Amino acid sequence: MKKRIRMLSAALLSLPLLLSGCTMIPESEALTMNGMYFDTVVQVQAWGATEEIMDHCKELCEYYEGLFSATIDSSEVSKINQAGGETVTVSEETAELINKGVEYGRISGGRFDITIAPASSLWNFTDNRTKQLPVPEELAEAVTHIDYRCIQINGNTITLTDPEAQIDLGGIAKGYIADRLKEYLISEGIEHALIDLGGNMLTLGGRYDGSAFRIGIQQPFAETGTVMAAVSVFDKSVVSSGDYERYFEKDGVIYHHILDPDTGYPVQNDLDQVTIISDESVDGDALSTTCFTLGLEEGMKLIQSMDNIEAVFVTKDGEIHTSSDKIEMDIPE
């Protein structure tokens, strides 16, 4: 369904709170942690926190990166990928996250698949200067090893029944880590915080003054920071996925990082972007990718079948579609 959206005043366009997550609370009332993990910028703003709390947030990011990163040879995910089908014992957190990935494989009918690594490893979306497409024969071979159903989980042990299969948790790990950061801040008595993992936004409570956090939605293919809409949330996750995030253009064709598990090539459909509003960021992370791969109609059906989850879809014609009228959203003039 389409939703009528009341317009933001022009004055609000200049406020940095929309896309950056700035909360309009004076800097002196918040502590901020910045870091680079999973090849993305991580920022945590917390009101009433101590330096020790913020330092521990960094330690948590480092810890989870050391478990989940497929590019760190010593990580648990890398050990699974290097095991050639042998059983690997992992931490409770890794087993939990992989199990969540398998769950979304089932929910999506395989359109979200954490064994996408054989195909994703053939693409380079970080250096746009290369603009090289995978060798078609290599990509065709890679997709034969993409199947989340080959993952066997028994307690804290993981086995890939296809020795050539590999796991990539990039489509779900940031959300999981954001949830663990929020969980930790709550345990320390923090009531107001904004967690940003490369654009995966997770709020703890509302702003310090009692109002909602306002999270901007990037306009696809526009200059970074160009906001097409802003959602107001309390204690929610806001995660977007789109074809404009990591991509390159070659011979007039845009190749982006959200791959079709059936072909290994970028998903081609009617969408430029999906934003998920949910209680837990791990769900928003997985569902934003899932719904993008499903397309508008099937993605909308999925969201409307779920409880306490809303979505904003942006189609290639620039239209905004929302899953219900519960979303509090404004767009600039």
Side-chain angles (χ1 to χ4, degrees), residues 55-131:
D55 287 343
H56 190 63
C57 287
K58 282 189 176 182
E59 292 169 2
L60 285 173
C61 290
E62 293 168 358
Y63 171 70
Y64 287 121
E65 183 178 40
L67 295 182
F68 305 148
S69 174
T71 61
I72 297 176
D73 287 341
S74 60
S75 76
E76 292 186 343
V77 166
S78 289
K79 290 177 181 178
I80 295 169
N81 291 343
Q82 297 161 4
E86 295 295 321
T87 297
V88 177
T89 300
V90 299
S91 63
E92 181 178 338
E93 295 98 326
T94 299
E96 179 183 18
L97 183 54
I98 290 175
N99 191 62
K100 193 74 170 179
V102 170
E103 176 186 343
Y104 272 104
R106 290 194 295 265
I107 289 172
S108 67
R111 300 301 293 162
F112 178 89
D113 198 316
I114 60 173
T115 62
I116 194 72
S120 62
S121 64
L122 298 177
W123 291 88
N124 182 0
F125 295 106
T126 58
D127 184 359
N128 287 345
R129 293 171 299 178
T130 60
K131 297 186 178 183

Side-chain angles (χ1 to χ4, degrees), residues 3-316:
K3 179 181 179 182
R4 288 189 174 275
I5 306 164
R6 62 188 179 86
M7 307 300 288
L8 278 172
S9 67
L12 278 179
L13 288 177
S14 64
L15 296 180
L17 63 90
L18 288 176
L19 195 72
S20 67
C22 177
T23 63
M24 294 183 65
I25 303 301
E27 290 285 337
S28 61
E29 295 186 23
L31 289 180
T32 301
M33 181 223 90
N34 293 287
M36 180 70 71
Y37 306 96
F38 274 95
D39 295 321
T40 193
V41 176
V42 174
Q43 182 179 87
V44 179
Q45 288 181 294
W47 284 260
T50 63
E51 292 290 353
E52 289 77 14
I53 289 174
M54 305 311 287
D55 287 343
H56 190 63
C57 287
K58 282 189 176 182
E59 292 169 2
L60 285 173
C61 290
E62 293 168 358
Y63 171 70
Y64 287 121
E65 183 178 40
L67 295 182
F68 305 148
S69 174
T71 61
I72 297 176
D73 287 341
S74 60
S75 76
E76 292 186 343
V77 166
S78 289
K79 290 177 181 178
I80 295 169
N81 291 343
Q82 297 161 4
E86 295 295 321
T87 297
V88 177
T89 300
V90 299
S91 63
E92 181 178 338
E93 295 98 326
T94 299
E96 179 183 18
L97 183 54
I98 290 175
N99 191 62
K100 193 74 170 179
V102 170
E103 176 186 343
Y104 272 104
R106 290 194 295 265
I107 289 172
S108 67
R111 300 301 293 162
F112 178 89
D113 198 316
I114 60 173
T115 62
I116 194 72
S120 62
S121 64
L122 298 177
W123 291 88
N124 182 0
F125 295 106
T126 58
D127 184 359
N128 287 345
R129 293 171 299 178
T130 60
K131 297 186 178 183
Q132 292 297 313
L133 302 184
V135 176
E137 293 77 13
E138 292 181 0
L139 197 56
E141 167 63 19
V143 298
T144 66
H145 303 293
I146 299 174
D147 189 346
Y148 70 93
R149 293 170 296 184
C150 79
I151 302 173
Q152 292 187 346
I153 306 170
N154 184 9
N156 281 20
T157 66
I158 308 294
T159 308
L160 300 180
T161 59
D162 177 356
E164 300 299 318
Q166 292 190 335
I167 291 174
D168 181 349
L169 296 175
I172 196 170
K174 289 191 295 182
Y176 180 90
I177 296 168
D179 289 331
R180 300 291 75 77
L181 288 169
K182 180 176 178 177
E183 184 178 70
Y184 167 68
L185 292 174
I186 291 173
S187 74
E188 293 294 329
I190 304 303
E191 298 180 351
H192 307 278
L194 182 63
I195 300 164
D196 178 358
L197 272 74
N200 284 35
M201 312 296 290
L202 179 61
T203 66
L204 170 50
R207 284 166 37 182
Y208 193 78
D209 64 2
S211 60
F213 282 102
R214 299 173 67 80
I215 308 298
I217 297 175
Q218 169 73 31
Q219 182 173 326
F221 298 105
E223 182 180 353
T224 300
T226 303
V227 175
M228 71 178 305
V231 294
S232 298
V233 294
F234 286 90
D235 215 38
K236 293 283 187 179
S237 165
V238 181
V239 180
S240 297
S241 290
D243 54 7
Y244 59 90
E245 294 174 319
R246 285 185 288 148
Y247 72 95
F248 62 84
E249 185 173 346
K250 183 179 177 67
D251 299 327
V253 178
I254 289 176
Y255 297 91
H256 60 84
H257 75 291
I258 306 176
L259 303 181
D260 186 329
D262 294 331
T263 68
Y265 285 96
V267 171
Q268 298 296 325
N269 59 24
D270 52 355
L271 293 175
D272 269 339
Q273 181 194 82
V274 179
T275 296
I276 302 294
I277 304 166
S278 57
D279 291 331
E280 294 194 3
S281 192
V282 68
D283 295 317
D285 212 357
L287 281 170
S288 62
T289 302
T290 296
C291 289
F292 188 93
T293 61
L294 288 173
L296 176 61
E297 184 176 352
E298 293 302 315
M300 187 73 79
K301 286 181 182 178
L302 174 61
I303 294 301
Q304 291 176 339
S305 73
M306 308 180 84
D307 295 328
N308 302 317
I309 294 177
E310 301 292 347
V312 179
F313 296 80
V314 180
T315 46
K316 291 187 183 299

